[in-house]
Amino acid sequence: MRTIMAKNPHDSFSFSRRYFHWKKKGVDDEGDEDMVEILNLNLNSSSSSSKSEEKEKGKTEEIMSSQMRSLSLGSAKAPRKKLSVMAVSKLRSALALGKARTHFTSGLGTKVVGTLFGHRRGHVHIAFQDDFKLSPPFLVELATPTSILVKEMASGLVRIALECEKRVQKKGSLKLIEEPMWRTYCNGKKCGYAMKRECGPEEWKVLNAIGPISMGAGVLPGPGNGAESEGELMYMRAKFERVMGSKDSEAFYMMNPDGNGGPELSIYLLRV
């Protein structure tokens, strides 16, 4: 390596002084003026070209924007027709489905309150309600004595089947739970007939006496101890799951609160 030494102490080691020859003022001024003019011409020409390019760019952008607007308008008009057709078809299908489901709507949901009650020497009543405060859409009186049904339930599982006659279908035909008369079977044994009842003052008195009890069984005192008295009133209330097979078949399964085992009581409605 050579050691760079300054020949003169007034010399500078700056990069610009060593490698660039800066001209003094007054030397080659004409050359500098020529260079300035050339630069000015170049700048003017570049600015004019840039202006022309900007004008052309603006024109192309306007053309493209107009084309895009026309395309967007055309595409916006087309889907409106498609959407309107789809909306009409959906509305028609919904109306058709609603008409098809009118046979199955009966004022009862899938989870209902079921109550069996009757005097000890009287007949059993079965009522199903959406809520204990509402009038029961389904209330029937069985010919089966309450004491016999209590014995059947004490023995184990109980299956009650109510059958009615299938008539010729007409407009405004009765729903299944609105049928007036039923043949009754308890665990496969024929037990006479059951009649549909309106919820009168006596029935409301019993349902209000049980009140908001969701599940349980008990005994209510009778009206008196005379010879004509039917004795104490026995009741059982539970939650039932309602399953609709078709317009001619329904089932009510008693729900166990602990969720273990099958239903101890099932009631079937059949139109045969």
Side-chain angles (χ1 to χ4, degrees):
M1 295 288 296
R2 282 185 184 177
T3 305
I4 300 173
M5 297 294 292
K7 297 179 181 179
N8 192 343
H10 298 287
D11 291 342
S12 171
F13 287 97
S14 66
F15 186 79
S16 61
R17 288 285 301 275
R18 290 173 60 86
Y19 295 96
F20 291 91
H21 301 284
W22 298 96
K23 294 182 180 181
K24 294 181 181 180
K25 190 175 182 181
V27 180
D28 294 338
D29 289 339
E30 295 178 357
D32 293 340
E33 291 177 356
D34 295 336
M35 289 296 291
V36 170
E37 291 178 357
I38 293 169
L39 289 172
N40 289 331
L41 290 172
N42 291 332
L43 288 173
N44 292 330
S45 61
S46 62
S47 61
S48 61
S49 62
S50 62
K51 288 180 181 179
S52 62
E53 288 177 357
E54 288 178 356
K55 288 181 180 179
E56 291 179 358
K57 187 177 180 181
K59 289 181 181 179
T60 53
E61 287 179 354
E62 288 180 359
I63 294 168
M64 290 178 69
S65 62
S66 62
Q67 290 178 354
M68 290 296 290
R69 285 177 185 173
S70 61
L71 288 173
S72 62
L73 288 172
S75 61
K77 290 178 181 177
R80 285 182 183 175
K81 295 181 180 178
K82 292 182 180 178
L83 286 173
S84 61
V85 172
M86 290 175 67
V88 170
S89 63
K90 286 182 179 180
L91 182 61
R92 287 178 179 174
S93 61
L95 290 173
L97 185 60
K99 290 180 180 178
R101 288 183 178 178
T102 52
H103 299 285
F104 299 92
T105 55
S106 57
L108 285 174
T110 56
K111 301 290 188 299
V112 298
V113 178
T115 309
L116 281 75
F117 62 93
H119 292 279
R120 191 181 295 274
R121 290 186 293 272
H123 296 157
V124 180
H125 293 71
I126 301 176
F128 287 114
Q129 305 165 270
D130 274 329
D131 188 86
F132 69 92
K133 296 180 181 178
L134 302 177
S135 178
F138 182 79
L139 174 62
V140 294
E141 180 182 357
L142 279 64
T144 307
T146 307
S147 57
I148 294 178
L149 182 62
V150 170
K151 290 179 182 178
E152 288 288 338
M153 294 186 70
S155 63
L157 302 178
V158 177
R159 302 288 184 266
I160 298 174
L162 303 178
E163 294 182 356
C164 65
E165 295 291 338
K166 183 184 288 187
R167 293 181 291 273
V168 178
Q169 294 294 329
K170 297 179 181 179
K171 288 186 177 180
S173 59
L174 291 176
K175 298 168 186 174
L176 187 58
I177 63 172
E178 295 176 351
E179 291 288 345
M181 185 176 291
W182 306 82
R183 290 188 300 270
T184 308
Y185 299 87
C186 182
N187 287 340
K189 301 175 184 178
K190 191 173 182 179
C191 302
Y193 287 87
M195 299 291 294
K196 181 176 174 59
R197 299 295 184 192
E198 295 294 329
C199 189
E202 292 296 325
E203 289 78 12
W204 266 122
K205 185 179 179 180
V206 174
L207 295 175
N208 289 331
I210 299 172
I213 297 174
S214 59
M215 180 169 287
V219 177
L220 297 176
N225 295 324
E228 295 181 358
S229 175
E230 294 181 342
E232 300 171 328
L233 188 139
M234 308 178 71
Y235 72 88
M236 188 200 76
R237 173 170 282 181
K239 291 280 187 181
F240 284 78
E241 181 182 4
R242 180 186 180 214
V243 179
M244 302 183 65
S246 67
K247 63 181 180 180
D248 296 326
S249 63
E250 295 186 23
F252 296 87
Y253 300 100
M254 189 176 73
M255 300 170 63
N256 294 326
D258 54 359
N260 297 326
E264 297 178 0
L265 174 62
S266 302
I267 299 173
Y268 302 93
L269 308 182
L270 301 171
R271 187 185 279 137
V272 296

